[in-house]
């Protein structure tokens, strides 16, 4: 896997977070350890936003456009399981 230390803005900079191998996005670098800790610590609770793009079939796209059918569609899809590179994951209640 490529090492980002050779492209860091300067030697004392370190990544703030990470990107998984099969993802793309913005990776922040910082030389301020306190800032890095504040941004990453679950105790501080800095809000983060993640955006995912998914390919869906035409029928799914139509079902998701209507609030009346979207909830049932999503519930059924999650109950059937979501396939990932690590296997199929089923939502369990409780």
């Amino acid at each position: 896997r490529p090492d980002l230390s050779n492209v860091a803005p300067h030697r004392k900079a370190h990544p703030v977070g990470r990107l998984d191998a099969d993802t793309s996005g913005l990776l922040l670098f910082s030389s301020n350890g306190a800032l890095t800790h504040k941004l990453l610590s679950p105790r501080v609770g800095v809000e983060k936003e993640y955006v995912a793009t998914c390919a869906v079939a035409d029928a799914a796209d139509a079902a998701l456009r209507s609030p009346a059918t979207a909830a049932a569609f999503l519930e059924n899809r999650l109950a059937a399981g979501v396939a990932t590179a690590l296997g199929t994951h089923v939502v369990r209640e409780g």
Side-chain angles (χ1 to χ4, degrees):
R1 185 155 39 170
D3 181 358
L4 294 177
S5 63
N6 59 355
V7 296
H10 53 80
R11 286 288 187 215
K12 296 189 188 273
H14 49 271
V16 180
R18 64 184 180 91
L19 290 175
D20 290 335
D22 60 347
T23 63
S24 63
L26 175 68
L27 184 60
L28 300 176
F29 283 83
S30 173
S31 58
N32 183 327
L35 175 63
T36 300
H37 177 73
K38 183 176 181 178
L39 292 172
L40 296 178
S41 174
R43 287 185 179 177
V44 176
V46 172
E47 185 176 333
K48 298 166 184 75
E49 181 175 323
Y50 299 91
V51 178
T53 303
C54 303
V56 296
D58 290 337
D61 194 34
L64 292 171
R65 282 193 193 120
S66 165
T69 57
F73 175 82
L74 290 173
E75 185 177 308
N76 290 336
R77 285 294 299 136
L78 292 173
V82 176
T84 70
L86 301 175
T88 299
H89 303 276
V90 178
V91 174
R92 295 187 181 106
E93 291 187 35

